[in-house]
Amino acid sequence: ELQLKGAGPTPFSRSSDGRKVLRSSVREFLASEAVHCLGVPTTRAASLVTSASTVVRDVRYDGNARPEACAVVARVARTFVRFGSFEICRPTDPQTGRTGPNARTAGGAGESPARSEPLVLELVDYVAESFLGLVDSAPGSQERALALLESVCASTAELLARWQGLGFTHGVLNTDNMGILSDTIDYGPYGFMGHFDKLFTPNSSDNSGRYCYDRQPAAVEWNVAKLGQTLALAGALDAAAATACTDSFRAAYERAHLAIFRYS
């Protein structure tokens, strides 16, 4: 799949201008190629095109905003489906009362959020058939949804272990920045450690260290759990089965992490 980053506003831009500056575009191009060459699954940058346009950016969030040159990066990935893609059509959470922005798309205006269930099931079937080869189980079945979740847990644990082994810190590990095929995705305020510091964070706006190196495993584990909850809320998977699967993530990560450091 191809994706243009920085080409301007899209329906998903919210209040942003949808532009990307040359500085961060070069960083993404270099990092994605470096991570690929280090053997870590990642999106890649097919091209980087500069522009005569400028936008105002505050690089260090210190009040010193200035104009910067714009650029457009053509990203390439096996798929850009993310954990957050499933949350877009997430039914109403009975505990928080929150509903995904497209939760009612499957029905008409004012219809029950339960009508969103087919959207999640269709996305499960699409990913399972198109990218994971999970064709033995029936479309829309809980067996297929569980197989998908198990695959995501295993591959995400391996990806996280590789990040930790390289001293790579992503910087913004929300569910929308986790690829469903466990490719490194969305190179924003990432960084590589120069020397070991478990509290290392390259994100200058992350004052609490929420996504620092030492907390990456907990952040990723939380994202995996939220994916399982979304599948359960949509009726794609039994809640107990989803929880049992996502609860196994920590042990899978620790095995992969130990193997990485033993090899190093």
Side-chain angles (χ1 to χ4, degrees):
E1 295 180 6
L2 293 173
Q3 182 187 80
L4 296 181
K5 179 66 174 179
T10 72
F12 307 101
S13 297
R14 298 189 293 273
S15 60
S16 176
D17 57 27
R19 305 307 300 272
K20 187 174 175 68
V21 300
L22 179 60
R23 165 181 47 83
S24 61
S25 299
V26 171
R27 290 185 80 245
E28 174 171 343
F29 196 106
L30 294 176
S32 60
E33 288 305 291
V35 168
H36 169 72
C37 290
L38 288 167
V40 180
T42 180
T43 61
R44 300 181 70 182
S47 67
L48 192 165
V49 180
T50 59
S51 167
S53 303
T54 61
V55 289
V56 176
R57 292 288 189 265
D58 187 348
V59 180
R60 299 189 180 279
Y61 301 96
D62 58 2
N64 294 312
R66 60 182 177 82
E68 292 195 60
C70 293
V72 177
V73 174
R75 291 171 169 170
V76 183
R78 293 180 290 172
T79 181
F80 287 102
V81 175
R82 308 146 187 261
F83 289 18
S85 301
F86 290 81
E87 292 182 304
I88 289 175
C89 41
R90 179 184 174 113
T92 302
D93 188 321
Q95 293 185 329
T96 66
R98 295 179 178 176
T99 302
N102 284 354
R104 300 192 181 190
T105 302
E111 291 189 358
S112 167
R115 291 295 302 276
S116 70
E117 292 177 9
L119 292 178
V120 176
L121 297 177
E122 288 174 17
L123 190 53
V124 168
D125 285 338
Y126 170 70
V127 173
E129 294 175 4
S130 300
F131 305 110
L132 299 177
L134 301 174
V135 294
D136 293 335
S137 52
S141 66
Q142 295 213 3
E143 290 78 12
R144 175 170 287 187
L146 180 59
L148 179 144
L149 187 59
E150 289 173 341
S151 175
V152 172
C153 285
S155 59
T156 302
E158 180 67 28
L159 174 68
L160 174 61
R162 289 175 178 268
W163 286 352
Q164 298 298 100
L166 291 172
F168 175 84
T169 305
H170 185 282
V172 188
L173 278 175
N174 51 45
T175 55
D176 202 42
N177 287 340
M178 298 290 299
I180 201 67
L181 298 186
S182 304
D183 290 335
T184 308
I185 195 169
D186 281 354
Y187 288 88
Y190 72 87
F192 290 89
M193 279 188 201
H195 61 276
F196 183 76
D197 176 5
K198 69 177 185 178
L199 299 181
F200 170 71
T201 176
N203 187 344
S204 59
S205 65
D206 186 11
N207 297 321
S208 66
R210 179 179 184 179
Y211 297 124
C212 71
Y213 173 83
D214 194 47
R215 294 178 181 172
Q216 274 195 147
V220 173
E221 184 176 18
W222 189 89
N223 291 336
V224 168
K226 291 305 166 185
L227 176 62
Q229 289 176 13
T230 296
L231 295 179
L233 275 174
L237 188 59
D238 176 75
T243 299
C245 181
T246 56
D247 282 352
S248 69
F249 173 82
R250 173 63 66 162
Y253 160 67
E254 290 178 349
R255 288 193 298 270
H257 183 261
L258 182 60
I260 290 288
F261 276 80
R262 277 177 170 167
Y263 178 80
S264 299

